[in-house]
Amino acid sequence: GLAWQEAGEPKKAVSYYEEHLQQEPEDHQARFNLAVCYMDDRPEDSLALLQSLPIEARQELSVIILMGRLFLRLNRPELAVEVLEKGPVRTRRMDESVLAFRYYLGLAYKRTGQKRKALTQLRKVYAENIKFMDVAKELEELEDGNGE
């Protein structure tokens, strides 16, 4: 499953992860990886897998980010905010995972009409990496007053 996933073929990885989890249901990393594979075609199943992880696993930044992304994908930005605000909001460290965290939190704030909070998060991302995803476009929309 991991080989297919790393080769950019998540659909081919699914059956391997599912089979593995039937024999090793407590393999939380495999459950997370399967949730990633489900993300595009089966977002509700992906969320259910993530929500079934033990509390300590659900507090990992990668899980928080993925849950936030899934709620945004399901057009539930208020739930994305709720999940993402559990992340490291006050951290000054800015590695790729923190940039992603702040980016998705900014999008969730934007989609819930919290413009000031959205600007704060997206500006932090932009200050670190102006080419991160489409942060420049998102910021421009908010600063021009066209944000949702």
Side-chain angles (χ1 to χ4, degrees), residues 2-86:
L2 187 57
W4 280 118
Q5 191 172 10
E6 288 179 357
E9 298 280 353
K11 291 178 183 175
K12 291 181 179 178
V14 167
S15 63
Y16 292 100
Y17 284 128
E18 290 172 339
E19 183 178 330
H20 172 73
L21 286 168
Q22 286 178 355
Q23 298 185 21
E24 298 286 337
E26 298 305 312
D27 185 341
H28 305 308
Q29 185 61 51
R31 203 177 314 167
F32 174 80
N33 291 346
L34 180 57
V36 171
C37 292
Y38 281 167
M39 188 173 81
D40 290 330
D41 297 330
R42 298 167 59 182
E44 291 90 357
D45 292 336
S46 183
L47 267 171
L49 275 171
L50 295 173
Q51 291 171 336
S52 72
L53 291 169
I55 187 70
E56 59 274 0
R58 289 194 315 258
Q59 293 172 348
E60 292 179 20
L61 188 53
S62 58
V63 174
I64 290 169
I65 292 168
L66 185 54
M67 288 181 73
R69 289 178 65 191
L70 288 162
F71 279 124
L72 284 170
R73 182 180 185 89
L74 294 168
N75 200 29
R76 298 299 305 270
E78 69 287 349
L79 294 175
V81 166
E82 187 161 329
V83 167
L84 289 163
E85 283 183 337
K86 295 176 183 175

